[in-house]
């Protein structure tokens, strides 16, 4: 097991960029680390420089953001890139890679390598379940975007910390204090964009960027839907990110047809034979602090 330092992370970013979509989540994490974004991540590889597996995980079990715990620190989340099922299984069995006594979310396992993590769990008698299967959609050319020509009566502005409660209340994985701290972290350290009506103070539609550089938390209040706000937000955010050399991608659950149609209408593309799996090891224990 090799812990990657500053120079190795720069090299890894360059190599991983050649292996989209399989490497995109790990690439996104490293992209942000290399640009000085605040993080609590450690990056490990099975070997160097000819790695076949890279795993990124939180290097402390409980991470405190401004004195309080966030969703990422509430449990172990791993981002994984692997070139083969066998290499992944071998690395998972390396001492120190996986804490077999704790709840762990392997977020982004290549579905073609899913047997490796299932076999690892069964080998060690660990309960497991598939939390979700995601399509990965990427955009690499801003010329494909459809920018909104008119925004009369609307303001497109970044979210502020004051909006974190509203965003958290509508997030599928939100609703508690830890998820609120994650939303606040995303807003404070990553790009965001929202729609506010002239004269108003509260957003009616918004889009954020995760710690792994993916677009996410896209939401429009029910009474303001079917007005093209989501498409406008994605287009404007994507254009801005591409101009800065930032990866532009998102994960969409397989059953979420409406989001898939939205992103593909903007010519985001997915690989037909690639899916990313969110895979749980052990049962989650809820801790009070």
């Amino acid at each position: 097991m090799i812990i990657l330092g500053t120079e190795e992370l720069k090299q890894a970013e360059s190599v991983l960029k050649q292996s989209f979509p399989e490497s995109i989540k790990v690439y996104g994490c490293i992209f942000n680390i290399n640009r000085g974004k605040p993080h609590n991540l450690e990056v490990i590889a099975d070997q160097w420089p000819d790695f076949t597996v890279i795993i990124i995980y939180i290097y402390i079990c409980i991470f405190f953001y401004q004195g309080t715990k966030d969703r990422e620190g509430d449990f172990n989340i791993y981002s994984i890139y692997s070139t083969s099922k066998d290499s992944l299984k071998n690395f998972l069995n390396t001492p120190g890679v996986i804490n077999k006594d704790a709840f762990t979310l392997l977020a982004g396992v290549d579905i073609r390598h899913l047997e490796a993590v299932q076999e690892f769990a069964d080998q060690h008698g660990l309960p497991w379940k598939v939390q979700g299967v995601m399509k990965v959609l990427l955009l690499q050319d801003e010329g494909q975007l459809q920018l909104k020509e008119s925004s009369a009566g609307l303001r497109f502005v970044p979210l502020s910390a004051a909006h974190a409660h509203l965003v958290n209340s509508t997030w599928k994985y939100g609703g508690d204090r830890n998820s609120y701290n994650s939303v606040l972290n995303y807003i404070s350290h990553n790009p965001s964009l929202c729609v506010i009506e002239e004269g108003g103070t509260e957003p009616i539609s918004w889009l954020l960027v995760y710690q792994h550089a993916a677009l996410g938390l896209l939401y429009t209040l029910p009474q303001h839907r079917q007005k093209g706000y989501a498409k406008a937000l994605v287009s404007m955010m994507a254009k801005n990110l591409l101009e800065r050399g930032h990866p532009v991608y998102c994960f969409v659950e397989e059953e979420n047809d409406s989001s898939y149609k939205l992103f593909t209408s903007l010519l985001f593309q997915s690989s037909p034979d690639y899916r990313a799996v969110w895979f749980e090891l052990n049962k989650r224990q809820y801790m009070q602090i």
Side-chain angles (χ1 to χ4, degrees):
M1 181 175 73
I2 308 296
I3 299 174
L4 303 192
T6 302
E7 291 305 314
E8 290 88 357
L9 288 170
K10 291 177 181 177
Q11 295 176 47
E13 179 183 331
S14 178
V15 174
L16 290 167
K17 194 173 184 178
Q18 311 306 314
S19 299
F20 292 169
E22 292 83 356
S23 64
I24 188 65
K25 188 167 187 279
V26 166
Y27 172 86
C29 290
I30 293 176
F31 180 93
N32 277 337
I33 291 172
N34 285 344
R35 283 149 188 82
K37 293 283 187 180
H39 69 91
N40 57 326
L41 303 173
E42 189 154 79
V43 185
I44 58 175
D46 59 338
Q47 57 192 23
W48 191 262
D50 300 319
F51 61 84
T52 61
V53 183
I54 288 184
I55 291 178
I56 301 178
Y57 63 95
I58 294 167
Y59 61 74
I60 46 179
C61 293
I62 299 178
F63 172 62
F64 290 87
Y65 176 73
Q66 294 184 346
T68 53
K69 191 168 58 171
D70 68 4
R71 183 174 182 269
E72 281 72 19
D74 191 28
F75 51 85
N76 301 312
I77 301 180
Y78 286 57
S79 296
I80 296 176
Y81 167 68
S82 52
T83 61
S84 74
K85 182 182 75 172
D86 290 339
S87 62
L88 176 57
K89 185 178 179 181
N90 289 337
F91 195 41
L92 292 176
N93 277 300
T94 301
V97 171
I98 295 285
N99 180 355
K100 293 186 285 292
D101 297 320
F103 173 82
T104 300
L105 178 61
L106 306 180
V109 177
D110 188 328
I111 196 168
R112 294 165 294 193
H113 305 162
L114 185 59
E115 286 184 8
V117 293
Q118 292 172 330
E119 291 170 4
F120 170 82
D122 292 341
Q123 175 186 341
H124 296 282
L126 305 178
W128 61 267
K129 74 172 184 178
V130 171
Q131 184 187 93
V133 179
M134 311 285 185
K135 297 176 181 178
V136 184
L137 294 109
L138 294 94
L139 183 73
Q140 300 190 54
D141 180 5
E142 67 177 270
Q144 299 171 335
L145 296 172
Q146 302 171 19
L147 297 175
K148 192 175 180 69
E149 295 181 2
S150 174
S151 56
L154 301 173
R155 290 186 293 132
F156 290 83
V157 296
L159 289 160
S160 73
H163 301 139
H165 281 292
L166 175 60
V167 174
N168 183 48
S169 70
T170 62
W171 186 20
K172 177 179 179 179
Y173 301 106
D176 62 25
R177 186 67 188 181
N178 294 344
S179 58
Y180 165 81
N181 290 329
S182 286
V183 171
L184 184 59
N185 198 358
Y186 303 152
I187 292 173
S188 300
H189 300 298
N190 298 326
S192 66
L193 193 62
C194 70
V195 180
I196 298 179
E197 293 177 307
E198 272 317 319
T201 59
E202 290 291 290
I204 58 176
S205 185
W206 54 83
L207 175 65
L208 286 76
V209 176
Y210 286 111
Q211 190 177 34
H212 48 272
L215 304 179
L217 287 83
L218 177 63
Y219 188 84
T220 301
L221 296 176
Q223 64 271 31
H224 294 284
R225 291 176 183 171
Q226 305 301 319
K227 297 179 181 179
Y229 294 155
K231 184 174 287 190
L233 287 171
V234 172
S235 294
M236 294 172 70
M237 175 75 82
K239 182 177 186 298
N240 178 266
L241 294 177
L242 287 171
E243 288 174 348
R244 294 159 51 188
H246 196 289
V248 177
Y249 75 103
C250 64
F251 291 103
V252 174
E253 293 173 321
E254 276 199 314
E255 62 272 19
N256 192 342
D257 291 336
S258 60
S259 288
Y260 181 78
K261 289 176 181 177
L262 168 67
F263 284 99
T264 54
S265 74
L266 294 171
L267 300 185
F268 279 68
Q269 297 180 345
S270 64
S271 174
D273 62 344
Y274 178 74
R275 296 290 184 273
V277 179
W278 266 237
F279 186 91
E280 296 182 6
L281 289 171
N282 291 316
K283 293 182 179 180
R284 186 175 176 186
Q285 302 295 321
Y286 291 87
M287 298 171 58
Q288 300 295 324
I289 61 170

